[in-house]
Amino acid sequence: MPLLEVSNMSHNFGGLRAVNEYNLAIEPGQIVGLIGPNGAGKTTVFNLITGIYRPTEGRIVFNGQDVTGHAPNRIASLGLARTFQEMRLWRHMTVLEHVKMACYSKFTYGLAGAFLQTPKRIREEAEVEELAFASLKMFGVEQFASHWPTDLPYGAARRVEMARAAVTKPKLLFLDEPTVGMTPEEMLAMIEVVRKMHETLKPAVFLIEHRLKVVSELCHRVQTLVFGQVIAEGTPEEIQNNPKVIEAYLGEEKVVA
Amino acid sequence: MHQTTSTASHPRGSLELVRRFFANVPLLAWFCGALVAVILERAVGLSMAQSLGMPRIPVLFGFLVFLKQPALIPGALGYVLLMNILPICITAKIGAPVFNLVSRILYKMPLVVTALVHLAVLYAVFHFWADVNAYRMIMLKMMLISILLTLSLNVINGYMGEFSCSHPGFMALGAYAASLFTVGLFVNDQLFGPAMMTSDYAVVFFPLGLFFTGLVSALGALVIAIPSFKTRGDYLAIISLAFTFIIKSVLENLEFLGGPRGLSGQPDWSSLPMVFIIVVFGVWVINNFVTSTMGKALNAVRDDEIAAEAMTVDTRKTKIIAFMFAAFWAGVAGGLFAHVLRFVNPSTFGIQKLAEVLAMVYFGGLNSVYGSIVGAVSISLLGEALRPLEILKWIIIPLLLILVMIFRPRGLISFKEFNIHNLLKPRG
């Protein structure tokens, strides 16, 4: 049984059909890519599955549980973490606090612990701090632990966002354009970071990308979305040679790397 | 270019010299210096004041004298120098090696012990300072209560980043609930009949009563929170402002609570130790909350709600809990307030109170425990010091607030975490 199964999902923004009859199945540990030209509805697909939008039609089953229309925080606490294309970091929180915050649903100390320094609170906060440091280390940004995100170089901020998403060891990780705005060298480093993370934590990954290099290095399977519709699905090689994809997406720009 | 930097850095340079001169003085030494000063004032203050040409001890570091009787300014200045500044600085500087030794020993003990020793000395300072006359006593209690009030409002307006105007309403709920509790049960009163219990155990019953008082305010907060936190934006400001006015007019129309005349006859239970302990406890609890990951979720919700939800934070629950929590402490502050004045009426909890608390929060600094303490203390002191100016006071304080907003838009000390280790550590 797949870890995530989306069937016949559609979404309308007013009169605009943003996503049409979308289907997806991700097996545990698999890396699936989602490519498509700007405005194809890739981020909308992410937002629908993670619960930010409620799909107009269709069904989303995650880990054997129907999560269609559930609140984002409930879906996230089932083990679905994500990053954002526009990097939604919290302006007035340190990097360490960012990563600790992702463990919010793991805390069990309740109100008593929040208001008083109960032993349980002290223990849980310390445990989570250790987890957070380990996650920062995995992405090579532990030296920024006490900084605010506004102090970080761009690449480090991207990694912090990933460390925040990966700290809870999610079953499924959504990465929304992890290499956007990066130089080729930074991009190669990012591919290595994602690969290392995948080897250590073994999550299933669903990845939006524009660069074919990233997709072909990382993904087991790729979907191409154009105007809210999946026009092709297959291995990276198949997709690169698919005439429909070349026409819709790569037509003018054969080499994107 | 060079010229401007050197002239601009000059005042900073002399400040830097002072800072460096006192760099080895730990907090304990300052507290003990203040203790020496207040004990000295108690012993020889009156005769010193008289020999400087003043009829009695200047109550508020000479501030009131400056505006009321300008002829006495030199005397008042001399008094402040001799009785306050010099004893504190001399004790702190000369005693620094000894106090550092004590600090070092304390620092090795559990933090609770260290903190309690510091608080005990601070309490002694307050006790001797306020013991001189009743005015100082009331002022000091009001100042402590306003710290609690400011900090609790900061939880909403600073940490959570919403704009709430309901603090006077919560305070009113607290003040009346606490008064009902004490007047109804422990006092022979015309309205509520004879006392049902003796007031022998005030030390136990009063905090207990204040706890329930806080719960009453928290319930009031739930009424606002449920409709307002469905969306973001200005709704909370509008609904909470309406809440304040509704509470005020309801209280004005409830005859059994005294209507617009108010309720009096509260027992004298807001003693200085009681106020001090409850305020310190409140600050501790609020600081615990805002430094826990549960409390930090408020910052996450404020800075980016979508990211917070994606990181498993239940934003609505977080907001409602924080709002009720803040209201709880506002209610406790209201209960203490009613028992300091031993009289409450609805008009106390109007728009003026709101302006005062908001000024304290925004002057001191958003998202900061330090900031709230600084804001509450400085606006309270300023309010008292400028009292002789009467109506002009309400021009000067807002002007000052505008200046703060221009130069430090988030308040004097914003976004700074309360670091107790750093505060209490020995310095050399």
Side-chain angles (χ1 to χ4, degrees):
Chain A
M1 195 180 64
L3 179 64
L4 176 75
E5 192 166 22
V6 180
S7 35
N8 297 322
M9 180 175 74
S10 300
H11 189 63
N12 299 343
F13 285 120
L16 178 78
R17 192 98 166 151
V19 175
N20 188 29
E21 298 281 307
Y22 179 83
N23 289 293
L24 170 73
I26 300 182
E27 302 293 330
Q30 202 177 31
I31 304 185
V32 178
L34 182 63
I35 60 170
N38 285 327
K42 302 184 296 294
T43 299
T44 308
V45 168
F46 264 36
N47 288 345
L48 285 167
I49 299 174
T50 53
I52 293 178
Y53 304 140
R54 198 194 167 99
T56 319
E57 289 157 38
R59 219 166 88 95
I60 303 161
V61 178
F62 176 59
N63 205 20
Q65 201 174 336
D66 189 339
V67 295
T68 322
H70 282 195
N73 60 307
R74 282 186 59 195
I75 297 177
S77 46
L78 292 174
L80 197 165
R82 71 170 292 181
T83 65
F84 296 88
Q85 187 182 351
E86 66 275 31
M87 273 204 294
R88 292 175 176 269
L89 296 174
W90 297 300
R91 235 183 121 198
H92 295 289
M93 286 170 66
T94 66
V95 165
L96 183 66
E97 284 164 7
H98 275 76
V99 185
K100 281 178 79 179
M101 184 55 63
C103 304
Y104 180 87
S105 62
K106 309 249 167 215
F107 288 102
T108 60
Y109 55 66
L111 288 182
F115 298 154
L116 308 168
Q117 298 269 1
T118 56
K120 195 172 180 190
R121 166 198 169 142
I122 295 170
R123 197 185 60 237
E124 286 187 359
E125 291 274 354
E127 280 168 9
V128 165
E129 191 157 317
E130 215 165 285
L131 273 182
F133 257 113
S135 185
L136 287 174
K137 231 175 234 155
M138 184 191 301
F139 291 90
V141 281
E142 74 274 18
Q143 72 271 32
F144 297 113
S146 59
H147 288 248
W148 279 1
T150 38
D151 302 342
L152 301 181
Y154 178 76
R158 282 262 165 222
R159 284 156 185 245
V160 167
E161 229 208 347
M162 284 199 183
R164 176 176 73 173
V167 65
T168 49
K169 303 196 172 57
K171 297 187 189 76
L172 178 55
L173 185 60
F174 278 25
L175 301 176
D176 197 344
E177 294 207 36
T179 69
V180 71
M182 287 187 172
T183 62
E185 295 80 51
E186 286 174 326
M187 179 193 76
L188 290 177
M190 187 49 103
I191 291 175
E192 276 320 299
V193 165
V194 174
R195 183 173 286 150
K196 202 178 113 199
M197 183 273 299
H198 186 254
E199 274 164 16
T200 341
L201 303 178
K202 305 241 182 326
V205 177
F206 191 34
L207 176 87
I208 292 182
E209 252 307 332
H210 267 307
R211 309 202 200 204
L212 277 191
K213 169 89 177 152
V214 181
V215 174
S216 54
E217 288 271 334
L218 289 171
C219 297
H220 303 125
R221 207 153 52 80
V222 182
Q223 276 188 334
T224 311
L225 196 70
V226 176
F227 294 122
Q229 194 107 34
V230 177
I231 59 160
E233 188 165 354
T235 63
E237 293 74 37
E238 283 166 12
I239 288 295
Q240 280 184 63
N241 300 322
N242 186 316
K244 269 206 230 158
V245 177
I246 294 171
E247 186 199 327
Y249 183 46
L250 304 171
E252 302 144 70
E253 235 181 339
K254 264 217 167 77
V255 188
V256 188
Chain B
M1 187 67 192
H2 179 74
Q3 200 71 38
T4 43
T5 42
S6 69
T7 44
S9 69
H10 179 68
R12 208 163 276 179
S14 52
L15 251 178
E16 180 62 28
L17 273 181
V18 174
R19 208 189 59 81
R20 220 176 294 158
F21 183 70
F22 288 113
N24 68 336
V25 177
L27 188 68
L28 186 66
W30 290 115
F31 283 180
C32 289
L35 187 60
V36 169
V38 288
I39 292 175
L40 195 68
E41 181 174 60
R42 212 170 132 98
V44 297
L46 189 59
S47 48
M48 173 68 81
Q50 279 163 350
S51 66
L52 286 167
M54 281 172 296
R56 56 192 173 279
I57 296 176
V59 283
L60 197 69
F61 312 111
F63 281 129
L64 294 176
V65 176
F66 296 164
L67 294 168
K68 264 189 198 153
Q69 296 147 299
L72 295 181
I73 288 179
L77 278 178
Y79 181 88
V80 170
L81 188 70
L82 286 174
M83 281 285 109
N84 302 131
I85 298 174
L86 280 182
I88 295 177
C89 291
I90 291 173
T91 317
K93 182 67 191 170
I94 293 181
V98 182
F99 290 119
N100 269 323
L101 191 72
V102 180
S103 276
R104 225 169 293 138
I105 297 167
L106 281 174
Y107 202 62
K108 283 193 197 106
M109 289 186 202
L111 188 62
V112 194
V113 181
T114 326
L116 283 181
V117 169
H118 282 82
L119 284 172
V121 179
L122 185 64
Y123 174 74
V125 174
F126 284 166
H127 172 81
F128 288 117
W129 186 77
D131 214 24
V132 169
N133 63 32
Y135 169 80
R136 276 187 179 183
M137 187 58 99
I138 285 204
M139 210 224 93
L140 183 63
K141 286 178 188 169
M142 286 300 181
M143 193 177 87
L144 289 170
I145 292 170
S146 65
I147 290 178
L148 193 55
L149 205 59
T150 308
L151 189 54
S152 65
L153 184 60
N154 206 342
V155 170
I156 307 173
N157 287 28
Y159 289 90
M160 187 158 79
E162 300 271 357
F163 196 90
S164 165
C165 301
S166 47
H167 253 50
F170 297 146
M171 217 183 149
L173 279 181
Y176 272 85
S179 303
L180 269 179
F181 174 74
T182 56
V183 177
L185 290 180
F186 299 95
V187 176
N188 294 315
D189 187 81
Q190 288 176 326
L191 281 165
F192 302 104
M196 282 181 249
M197 288 196 233
T198 58
S199 45
D200 297 343
Y201 297 103
V203 196
V204 181
F205 281 121
F206 192 45
L208 202 69
L210 286 176
F211 179 75
F212 288 111
T213 295
L215 291 185
V216 170
S217 294
L219 274 181
L222 191 62
V223 173
I224 305 181
I226 287 175
S228 342
F229 290 142
K230 287 213 158 119
T231 45
R232 269 193 91 88
D234 307 329
Y235 300 100
L236 179 67
I238 297 162
I239 294 175
S240 59
L241 191 61
F243 177 82
T244 295
F245 285 116
I246 290 169
I247 292 288
K248 191 171 161 236
S249 55
V250 166
L251 290 173
E252 272 165 359
N253 289 293
L254 285 178
E255 269 313 312
F256 82 100
L257 290 175
R261 274 165 290 115
L263 200 61
S264 60
Q266 285 90 339
D268 186 16
W269 285 359
S270 278
S271 59
L272 185 60
M274 180 65 81
V275 175
F276 184 79
I277 289 170
I278 289 179
V279 169
V280 167
F281 180 72
V283 171
W284 182 68
V285 171
I286 296 177
N287 187 52
N288 281 341
F289 179 59
V290 297
T291 50
S292 73
T293 302
M294 304 283 245
K296 292 269 185 220
L298 287 178
N299 297 9
V301 169
R302 175 196 60 202
D303 288 348
D304 194 323
E305 195 161 344
I306 289 181
E309 285 196 313
M311 297 306 139
T312 71
V313 176
D314 187 340
T315 54
R316 200 164 131 80
K317 193 180 103 190
T318 304
K319 285 197 226 175
I320 289 180
I321 286 176
F323 196 68
M324 290 175 73
F325 177 67
F328 175 90
W329 289 108
V332 171
L336 285 172
F337 178 86
H339 288 80
V340 171
L341 288 183
R342 304 179 66 187
F343 164 73
V344 277
N345 71 351
S347 65
T348 320
F349 306 107
I351 202 88
Q352 194 160 354
K353 192 90 211 159
L354 176 64
E356 199 184 307
V357 195
L358 284 175
M360 287 173 185
V361 171
Y362 286 89
F363 184 83
L366 293 174
N367 203 98
S368 160
V369 174
Y370 279 130
S372 285
I373 295 174
V374 168
V377 170
S378 43
I379 297 284
S380 301
L381 282 178
L382 210 67
E384 287 304 320
L386 298 177
R387 194 181 278 273
L389 291 179
E390 287 163 22
I391 197 76
L392 276 178
K393 175 175 129 178
W394 293 109
I395 296 174
I396 293 178
I397 293 181
L399 264 180
L400 205 77
L401 208 62
I402 291 171
L403 284 180
V404 169
M405 289 294 114
I406 290 173
F407 292 107
R408 308 202 75 158
R410 290 166 194 282
L412 283 182
I413 309 168
S414 53
F415 295 97
K416 201 162 181 193
E417 212 160 273
F418 194 70
N419 187 342
I420 195 154
H421 286 277
N422 208 9
L423 206 61
L424 302 183
K425 73 170 187 226
R427 287 160 210 275

